[in-house]
Amino acid sequence: MNYPEFKQPLNYGQVGTDILAWWKQNGIFEKSVSTREGQPTFVFYEGPPSANGAPGIHHVMARTVKDIFCRYQTLLGKQVHRKGGWDTHGLPIELQVEKELGITKEDIGKKISIEDYNQRCRETVMRFKAQWDDLTEKMGYWVDLDDPYITFEPEYIESCWALLKKLYDKGLLYKGYTIQPYSPAAGTGLSSHELNQPGTYRDVKDTTVVAQFKVKRDEKSEPLFGNVQLDEVPLAALYGDNASEPDVYILAWTTTPWTLPANTGLAVGKNIPYLLVSTFNPYTYAPIRVVLAEALVGKYFSVKGKEASFEDFKPGDKVLPWRIENTFKGADLVGIRYERLFGQNKGYPAFEGEENAFRVINGDFVTTEDGTGIVHISPTFGADDFRAAQLAGVPALLVADDEGKLGPIVDRTGRYVAQMGEFGGRWVKNYDGHDESGADYKTLDESIAIRMKGDGTAFKVEKYEHTYPHCWRTDKPVLYYPLDSWFIKTTAVKDRLIELNKTINWQPASTGTGRFGNWLENLVDWNLSRSRYWGTPLPIWRTQDGTEEICIGSIEQLNAEIDKAVAAEVMTLNPFVKNVIQGLVVNDFGWVSFKDKQGNVYEGSFLSKPELFNGNTVNFKDRKLGGDIYSIDVSSIDFSTLKRHIRNSDGEEKVESIPLTFGGADLHRPYVDDIFLVSPSGQPMYRETDLIDVWFDSGAMPYAQWHYPIENEGQFQKNFPADFIAEGVDQTRGWFFTLHALAVMLEDSVAYKNVMANGLVLDKNGNKMSKRLGNAVDPFATIQQFGPDATRWYMIANAQPWDNLKFDVAGITEVQRRFFGTLFNTYSFYALYANLDGFQAREFDRTPHAELSELDRWILSKLQSLILEVRGHYDSYDPTKAARAIQDFVTDQLSNWHVRLSRRRFWKGELTADKRAAYETLQECLVVVSQLMAPIAPFFAEWLYQNMTNGMRAEAIERNTPLAAESVHLTLLVEADEARIDKSLEERMELAQRISSLTHSLRKKSVLKVRQPLQRILVPVFNDSTRAQVALVEDLICAEVNVKHVEFLDDASGVLVKSVKPNFKRLGQQYGAKLKAVGARIQQMSAEEISTLEKTGQLAVEIDGEAYTLAPDDVEIRTQDLPGWLVATDGPLTVALDVTLTDELRQEGVARELVNRLQNLRKDSGLEVQDKIRVTLQQQPELEAAVQSFGGYIREEVQALSLDFAPEISGGAVLEFDEFSVPVLLNVATA
RNA sequence: GGGCUUGUAGCUCAGGUGGUUAGAGCGCUACACUGAUAAUGUAGAGGUCCCUGGUUCGAGUCCAGGCAGGCCCA
């Protein structure tokens, strides 16, 4: 048997398993890379997943996308290395460990050592690696799992350090601050995780103040002083004697009055409407004008006040009179300057940048839900404040402490610094546990409010209940407070980031311009600092006073610095030494040798018992039998001489040096924290305790995966930048950004040329999948059940990867049935008949293209078009369209038309030239389809390819043809042979399909089954080309719909009834508003008018008294009816069916019925396709007539050597059809 | 709250630059076909194209505002 045959239904899961085993056995993935050696490369970066959880179905989606384009590029002949990777650091892992250990961050270093804690993290992070690897294999994602980069390995961290140093040397790394939740009582910052603990947000009653900020009169603020008088009351009349213009104040509300002395700006919403209102201060009763949001006027001013007289207002009156003077948009107010609330004149300190402070700025967070619609900005005590101020160039109010170090007006214990005038030293909240019940107790907020009332700068003071976060440990209120942080100055390269982003091909484009582009436009500096334990440590050491610092870029440099520090006696011992020695004890390998600094030679091994280290000394046993045990001071060891001696099983000895850096060196905390360096001036330097953002780790992978820039420059250069990356859209500001930012800063280049951001995988109802809701889909079970191909195909074909996918297994079933089932059937069909005929396709001596039938040339033309189309879609990173095009070709064109119409060719008779051509055509289609689908459905494609080509392999290898490749994934994708594309042929086949469909529809209406032959169909045609086109496919149509002829009707026949439809597109352009009338007139055209238009090429009509000349292009003429005929239409195409039945047609119909029943009988009797039979029917006149005319046909169809009648038949079957009931005897012909 | 994104038949999705009668597959119903048969053909039912307003002779398509879902950020 040349072509393997399979039972229906095919077990797709098994196909996956079998192919996977074969790939492994034959190293196909490795070959897919190695056979492309020397070819152009296609660089792909694997975004490292974290293996601390089980993989989900969405990972199958993301990895399918990655896999598709890597496989496709391989098919194009490129070499595609795919180095895997693991993301191993970060908060999720720490939290998981803490949960498992039942501890909190506070316990680290107390209940558990940092060392042990990090060890737990290291063990936890790879816990699910086996599952991940398993899924990777089973789903057919080809990536190198044997040599992945792992972000916690010392080489990887060292690369990160080297990159940080490069940034540091470029001046892009600096220490600043961010506003973070801070607990003065605990003296520590709080993570958002800690802030989300239950019970941290509580209702508290605070003193709140609506403060008045006095506007400085200048060019910018002049409109506020202009006397617009919306309420049409002259100013003088308003204030009576106080006719001089009252001051203008901007109102801003705060629930934390203690931040008011730190105010440096006011934020407005640029689209929010604001009012200028004339009124009086409720405490000093001075006439004032105030600015606030229109929407909030009702909150501060009563209806009564709007009517109240200004002249009659006197101190003590409850109702404040008020009038609206003018309206503004927030944008109009931006830039206005105002006076400092607590200024130097009142004893408050000056600060740097003061000239840029006290301005109105834009704030996108401003709302009119509460307050005044204007937000008081104190950049040191609010994250929004800080950001808005930074964007607008407004400085923070910082004062110098005793050492000259700048800081906020509140110290880290929660008190005002001494410089704060009358309030200096006051607690901003009750952090000192002061008794609040005392009559004279006043909070700082209250004191400030009282002061402001007196100064006339408070417009409203009241107690207000709101929720406020509290420290979960101390129960004291949290402050938003500036904490030290290290930053990468991404804003310095902002323009370049934007510029280079425009050269990246984003899929979908909107993510690049929108989500990512906007993010770049509003870029702030990258906050690198994390106060955590399990991550890449920041390699910066500083002196206590911060005046001297060093950024370490390599372990070599670090060792050199350590040596200096040891020499300067800042440290007694290089902490890595212990690490190395520990490693040598743990790894049982043989023995070591070294010299001490005096040159004495030692040979032997370190002893771990009773304890490895006693201070800095270690026990060492001489290798001589019964040798002495020394106690050695490790600081005396000359580590450059340290070697280990390994004896293998053959007794061969291997000697290797042990670098101090690796082989046990751990660059994590706490080890790096134990390193103290010495500054040039001789001061000790301590490491900044921060870790760096894990996103830096992943963004550094283009460099760190090769241990670049420490080594492997060539590797790096060859693989930078990436041609393609793909991850979820949630990575836009994560990995996509960090890759881009680092590439621009370090290499002035993009990091990737093409990027796909895929969407989420939701459950079938559109809800997010989660373990908690129990709607998560198990990827292993899915692949097991449906096979990897149907799963992948469904995900790709159903929705474009960047749209969210509603995952429904019913969809996989459908794909499996409709696409894979059809393709499998088509293959089985081919295999069945090819095997019967002993046919084996060859690459040589094939039927010349010109000699192929219309049908064959058509499907091959379609195939070439498909190759073009699919390549185009893959090239433009649109796998969905590629999948859909392949699917439509296989189901609609190949199976449902070409194979269906070719069935007789396959099963009839000997291996003729036409049959051979049919095999060759189908064979070519199937092989090409296997290639085209290979990126998406790699297993099934392999299955199909091998089944189709294994019989050709030997010759292919011998003659070195494309099919020499043992795997479809090692082939080169066929190029479309455009010479074989025949658009005209494709067009007429479509006509044949549509005419057939219409004819079927007519048969159905007339209840004339297809088995009943009919004489003819009539097709009206208006032009010769259509006529010629249809004539060429007449045979196909006749065979498909079982009629004898296709006849054409043209105008000359005189029986066509035409109708006309306005061509609105053309008419609209020509007549515009008149179109309606013209269109109506066209629809009323008479037969004569249509005829005139056709013959003369124009038609004069009158519409609403105006003359128009219609051209043929203005209308679409079609035939809709043939009087006396049953017709069906599809757009411009019309078909009429001649339903006249002659005796001969009837007889042929009977003959066909007979054939059909006999075939069924054959099949029911279990006969094989090739068995011959003898048939005897019971006599019946009508049957005999039919057999007389069509006996030869019947015998041939049912492969009967004889077809006879007998007067009486018993014991056989009875054929029933139409009004017949025929006893029959069927025997297998033995000879 | 901001940015981005999605909304078309029961379900999943198509619908360049606006053109009047909005399509496909699945599912459903009926009929047919039967040497691919757990396949296939034909027909039918099924739509306020999320809503409101605007531009236009004409809007699923363009504009504005809203609603709902999603993601990211605050």
Side-chain angles (χ1 to χ4, degrees), chain A residues 939-983:
Chain A
F939 298 93
F940 191 88
E942 186 77 293
W943 177 91
L944 181 59
Y945 172 82
Q946 293 192 8
N947 289 337
M948 287 303 296
T949 63
N950 276 349
M952 307 163 79
R953 191 83 61 239
E955 188 182 19
I957 291 170
E958 189 183 314
R959 299 174 70 159
N960 193 24
T961 69
L963 293 185
E966 62 190 308
S967 159
V968 69
H969 303 288
L970 301 178
T971 61
L972 290 175
L973 187 60
V974 285
E975 304 253 11
D977 178 0
E978 297 194 42
R980 288 204 279 170
I981 295 179
D982 184 342
K983 282 292 167 200

Side-chain angles (χ1 to χ4, degrees), chain A residues 350-393:
Chain A
F351 63 98
E352 205 180 315
E354 193 165 350
E355 62 281 5
N356 291 320
F358 314 118
R359 284 186 287 134
V360 177
I361 62 176
N362 179 56
D364 54 20
F365 50 85
V366 177
T367 70
T368 55
E369 267 165 34
D370 47 27
T372 63
I374 297 154
V375 175
H376 138 66
I377 297 289
S378 51
T380 45
F381 302 116
D384 275 342
D385 308 42
F386 176 73
R387 198 168 43 84
Q390 207 180 36
L391 277 175

Side-chain angles (χ1 to χ4, degrees), chain A residues 401-633:
Chain A
D401 64 12
D402 296 344
E403 292 172 353
K405 207 180 155 197
L406 290 177
I409 62 168
V410 176
D411 68 17
R412 291 181 71 112
T413 63
R415 317 160 67 142
Y416 266 6
V417 296
Q419 294 99 311
M420 291 308 288
E422 60 184 301
F423 303 120
R426 293 277 304 265
W427 299 92
V428 300
K429 295 281 169 189
N430 189 7
Y431 291 121
D432 61 340
H434 199 285
D435 179 10
E436 296 182 15
S437 59
D440 57 345
Y441 177 78
K442 291 227 163 17
T443 67
L444 176 57
D445 288 340
E446 284 164 342
S447 302
I448 287 171
I450 290 163
R451 159 61 59 209
M452 288 172 68
K453 280 184 187 173
D455 289 351
T457 54
F459 186 74
K460 192 171 187 179
V461 175
E462 64 181 355
K463 292 271 186 184
Y464 177 81
E465 189 169 303
H466 63 140
T467 60
Y468 195 83
H470 289 68
C471 171
W472 60 277
R473 279 202 304 154
T474 63
D475 287 340
K476 293 280 196 313
V478 161
L479 297 185
Y480 288 87
Y481 192 83
L483 294 177
D484 289 341
S485 250
W486 283 85
F487 293 88
I488 294 179
K489 203 183 274 174
T490 43
T491 50
V493 292
K494 177 174 160 183
D495 293 342
R496 192 69 182 140
L497 285 166
I498 291 168
E499 196 181 327
L500 284 171
N501 179 43
K502 289 178 181 153
T503 70
I504 297 172
N505 174 34
W506 281 83
Q507 193 72 301
S510 59
T511 301
T513 53
R515 188 180 288 214
F516 196 65
N518 289 339
W519 162 250
L520 293 181
E521 294 287 345
N522 296 310
L523 200 64
V524 294
D525 284 343
W526 179 1
N527 181 5
L528 264 191
S529 293
R530 298 290 182 273
S531 29
R532 275 276 160 184
Y533 299 94
W534 179 237
T536 301
L538 188 68
I540 293 177
W541 276 257
R542 278 192 151 201
T543 54
Q544 196 110 49
D545 62 6
T547 55
E548 292 173 277
E549 68 185 26
I550 185 168
C551 180
I552 299 293
S554 69
I555 293 172
E556 193 186 341
Q557 184 193 4
L558 182 60
N559 273 319
E561 292 298 327
I562 287 172
D563 287 347
K564 276 196 229 165
V566 171
E569 295 185 353
V570 167
M571 244 189 321
T572 53
L573 183 68
N574 181 340
F576 288 136
V577 165
K578 287 189 179 182
N579 241 305
V580 168
I581 291 174
Q582 197 146 28
L584 292 173
V585 171
V586 171
N587 299 320
D588 184 23
F589 51 82
W591 53 286
V592 298
S593 66
F594 58 86
K595 292 180 183 167
D596 69 12
K597 286 175 180 163
Q598 274 77 47
N600 302 314
V601 176
Y602 294 81
E603 290 184 345
S605 31
F606 294 109
L607 292 184
S608 59
K609 287 180 181 160
E611 61 186 70
L612 188 55
F613 289 99
N614 184 5
N616 283 341
T617 61
V618 62
N619 289 334
F620 186 81
K621 183 176 185 302
D622 198 284
R623 69 181 283 248
K624 283 193 287 283
L625 197 62
D628 297 333
I629 293 177
Y630 315 88
S631 181
I632 297 176
D633 185 340

